[in-house]
Amino acid sequence: MRGIVPAGILFAVALLFQAALVLCSFPATLKLERAFPLSQRVELSQLRARDSVRHGRMLQSSNGVVDFPVAGTYDPFVVGLYYTKVQLGSPPKEFYVQIDTGSDVLWVSCNSCNGCPTTSGLQIPLNFFDTGSSSTASLISCSDQRCSGGVQSSDAICSSQNNQCAYAFQYGDGSGTSGYYVSDLLYFDTILGGSVTTNSSAPIAFGCSTSQTGDLTKSDRAVDGIFGFGQQEMSVVSQLASQGVAPKAFSHCLRGDEAGGGILVLGEILEPNIVYTPLVPSQPHYNLNLQSISVSGQTLSIDPSVFTTSNNQGTIIDSGTTLAYLAEAAYNPFVTAVTNAVSQSAQPVVSKGNQCYLITSSVTDVFPQVSLNFAGGASMILRPQDYLLQQNSVGSSAVWCIGLQKLQGQGLTILGDLVLKDKIFVYDLAGQRIGWANYDCSTSVNVTATMKTGKSEYVNAGQLNDNSSPQNEPYKGIVISMISFLMHILLLGSFLFL
């Protein structure tokens, strides 16, 4: 007959086992670093002004899946941007940076920065990169191949006096940033297959901002910098792909609800409903061939040449823009079609130059579906909330305004977060195409990347366990020690009481 283990030992085992479970799951998932102050609503004119500044910032002429956390929301009345967190240097230091597909360079504020904000209305800590405090940091010279590529794409400039690779992004309203390039380690979570993750690092070139002006100096939505996801040589995507540590592709799925956040990975999200259209070749941005616009299934009478890509014309995907913008020649036909479609159930009003509507029922019951039709037969379906914004209320009526704004005197169409949210977007740079599908971005996705074995790996991004992070190693040691101690007690107790 087997002996009975004393109740005290069982109680201790149960207690320690529960503690082990807690420590094993610390933290269980990547959490959104979201803490946004609710603020009063702002006018569309102010949002247009904000985006106008953003448009000036567009830069002119182990394989595995890398996962980044996402915070922020498209809602311009709350935040109006999405951002992620990166770790740079040795020892690693955290920086919050805006996710921007309209530029190439990752840059962060540096020590002794003139005009860089020190606090943020997003309730996130702001940091400054210090090259002297990182044991792996080094300056990039003009003779560096990465700098040469940056000069060709207008992402870098060189001074013959000090042979230092630098940058100066100046904008029409006087805002901008300037600084120099640094080479240092970027840390990231690499998914090797299934739910297995590992903390990885790779050397990259990024900007160290020593001066900021204009909107970049304001604290209300301040972050540490901008993470450019462009396709030029200086982009992190291109740098990691050239080193063979990440695929030459990235994907995002930005949540449009109040919680915000979403998914951002280096790799291709897999979804059967994704449709693809080719990128316009030899362009500095993610230009697509928009061919027509349909409202309620009816194609609008817009000259197709309006959407042709040229120096100051074309259609651009830009996650750094809050709203969305139509070329002037396409805007009026679009607004007219929407107004005609809701004439029986909505009262059109003009508020500070914006076309708005008074409605008493659900916006989805009143407004039509819109389709943006691209080359190759790919259509982007827009729900009413993808092209409208609720401005305020008047009595029992809600005021909804057209969120697709007109770019006066310009031929650009810019698809910003208003349109990009609640959709999977895949940027297949190797295949020179972009794909999308409407999707609930609060749920997980499968992602694939071509591995060294030639196989594809599928992961559940957005729900990743973070136990592989360096800061969790002490907890792993504690758990292992506790488990060994528990096994010792159990074996000893069983032996003594046989």
Side-chain angles (χ1 to χ4, degrees):
M1 178 177 176
R2 301 186 63 85
I4 301 174
V5 179
I9 292 180
L10 286 176
F11 176 77
V13 168
L15 184 63
L16 291 174
F17 185 66
Q18 289 178 354
L21 287 177
V22 172
L23 289 171
C24 279
S25 61
F26 179 80
T29 58
L30 290 172
K31 296 181 180 179
L32 299 180
E33 302 288 340
R34 181 179 186 275
F36 305 136
L38 293 178
S39 59
Q40 61 182 9
R41 292 181 177 271
V42 296
E43 300 293 340
L44 282 174
S45 58
Q46 293 175 270
L47 299 175
R48 285 200 305 270
R50 178 186 294 172
D51 279 340
S52 177
V53 174
R54 164 69 203 100
H55 297 160
R57 295 182 193 154
M58 289 183 182
L59 309 185
Q60 302 301 320
S61 324
S62 104
N63 268 354
V65 176
V66 178
D67 180 79
F68 293 97
V70 179
T73 170
Y74 90 98
D75 190 343
F77 305 123
V78 179
V79 180
L81 61 84
Y82 292 90
Y83 58 94
T84 186
K85 183 168 61 177
V86 296
Q87 291 185 322
L88 299 167
S90 300
K93 199 171 185 179
E94 293 182 341
F95 299 90
Y96 292 89
V97 285
Q98 182 179 358
I99 300 166
D100 182 19
T101 61
S103 63
D104 300 317
V105 176
L106 166 63
W107 64 263
V108 296
S109 298
C110 259
N111 274 7
S112 304
C113 179
N114 182 25
C116 294
T118 57
T119 60
S120 174
L122 303 179
Q123 304 301 310
I124 56 175
L126 298 184
N127 286 319
F128 294 86
F129 186 81
D130 182 5
T131 55
S133 298
S134 174
S135 61
T136 49
S138 62
L139 301 182
I140 294 180
S141 68
C142 290
S143 58
D144 191 295
Q145 183 178 357
R146 292 169 294 184
C147 188
S148 301
V151 170
Q152 293 179 6
S153 60
S154 300
D155 290 328
I157 54 177
C158 270
S159 170
S160 57
Q161 296 180 346
N162 56 17
N163 193 35
Q164 185 171 303
C165 190
Y167 67 89
F169 306 144
Q170 298 297 325
Y171 318 122
D173 68 341
S175 66
T177 178
S178 60
Y180 55 92
Y181 282 105
V182 177
S183 178
D184 210 337
L185 293 178
L186 168 71
Y187 298 84
F188 46 86
D189 288 319
T190 300
I191 307 161
L192 300 179
S195 59
V196 179
T197 65
T198 182
N199 189 262
S200 306
S201 65
I204 63 162
F206 61 92
C208 206
S209 175
T210 57
S211 176
Q212 293 174 27
T213 59
D215 266 11
L216 290 176
T217 66
K218 298 179 180 179
S219 296
D220 58 339
R221 303 186 312 148
V223 288
D224 291 312
I226 293 178
F227 196 157
F229 277 83
Q231 55 185 323
Q232 304 301 323
E233 288 186 38
M234 292 295 285
S235 77
V236 171
V237 176
S238 296
Q239 290 187 63
L240 294 182
S242 67
Q243 296 179 49
V245 298
K248 197 169 184 179
F250 70 96
S251 308
H252 60 67
C253 195
L254 307 175
R255 290 180 62 172
D257 57 20
E258 289 184 358
I263 296 168
L264 174 65
V265 293
L266 302 190
E268 296 182 46
I269 293 178
L270 298 175
E271 161 61 32
N273 296 321
I274 290 180
V275 294
Y276 286 89
T277 189
L279 280 166
V280 179
S282 305
Q283 295 298 314
H285 308 298
Y286 291 117
N287 284 76
L288 304 180
N289 277 312
L290 177 61
Q291 296 180 329
S292 65
I293 300 175
S294 302
V295 175
S296 297
Q298 299 297 312
T299 303
L300 305 183
S301 297
I302 302 172
D303 187 339
S305 65
V306 169
F307 303 119
T308 303
T309 300
S310 62
N311 289 337
N312 296 306
Q313 190 172 297
T315 301
I316 297 171
I317 301 288
D318 178 27
S319 66
T321 289
T322 300
L323 301 175
Y325 294 78
L326 281 179
E328 184 175 12
Y331 178 80
N332 290 336
F334 171 75
V335 171
T336 299
V338 171
T339 302
N340 290 339
V342 301
S343 60
Q344 301 300 314
S345 50
Q347 178 185 345
V349 293
V350 176
S351 174
K352 298 185 178 180
N354 303 298
Q355 182 60 61
C356 303
Y357 307 88
L358 292 174
I359 64 171
T360 56
S361 56
S362 170
V363 66
T364 56
D365 295 335
V366 174
F367 287 88
Q369 178 177 283
V370 172
S371 176
L372 306 180
N373 307 309
F374 294 86
S379 292
M380 188 180 300
I381 307 302
L382 306 185
R383 306 162 302 165
Q385 54 268 44
D386 295 331
Y387 64 86
L388 296 169
L389 281 173
Q390 184 174 4
Q391 184 70 21
N392 50 41
S393 298
V394 177
S396 61
S397 299
V399 180
W400 287 81
C401 300
I402 297 286
L404 293 180
Q405 300 291 288
K406 175 169 61 176
L407 278 179
Q408 194 76 32
Q410 297 187 43
L412 278 176
T413 293
I414 303 173
L415 305 182
D417 295 335
L418 176 67
V419 170
L420 303 184
K421 63 179 171 59
D422 299 321
K423 297 177 183 65
I424 290 171
F425 269 85
V426 176
Y427 301 73
D428 178 9
L429 304 187
Q432 283 294 286
R433 61 178 187 165
I434 287 183
W436 58 81
N438 287 352
Y439 198 78
D440 179 1
C441 297
S442 66
T443 60
S444 60
V445 295
N446 286 329
V447 185
T448 181
T450 301
M451 312 299 288
K452 291 180 180 179
T453 59
K455 298 179 181 179
S456 293
E457 295 292 341
Y458 302 89
V459 301
N460 195 24
Q463 306 288 330
L464 300 177
N465 188 289
D466 200 26
N467 287 339
S468 58
S469 299
Q471 60 266 33
N472 292 322
E473 293 301 326
Y475 296 98
K476 287 184 178 178
I478 293 173
V479 171
I480 293 173
S481 299
M482 289 173 63
I483 292 174
S484 299
F485 177 66
L486 291 173
M487 293 297 294
H488 180 74
I489 291 177
L490 288 173
L491 290 173
L492 180 60
S494 298
F495 175 77
L496 291 175
F497 292 93
L498 282 174

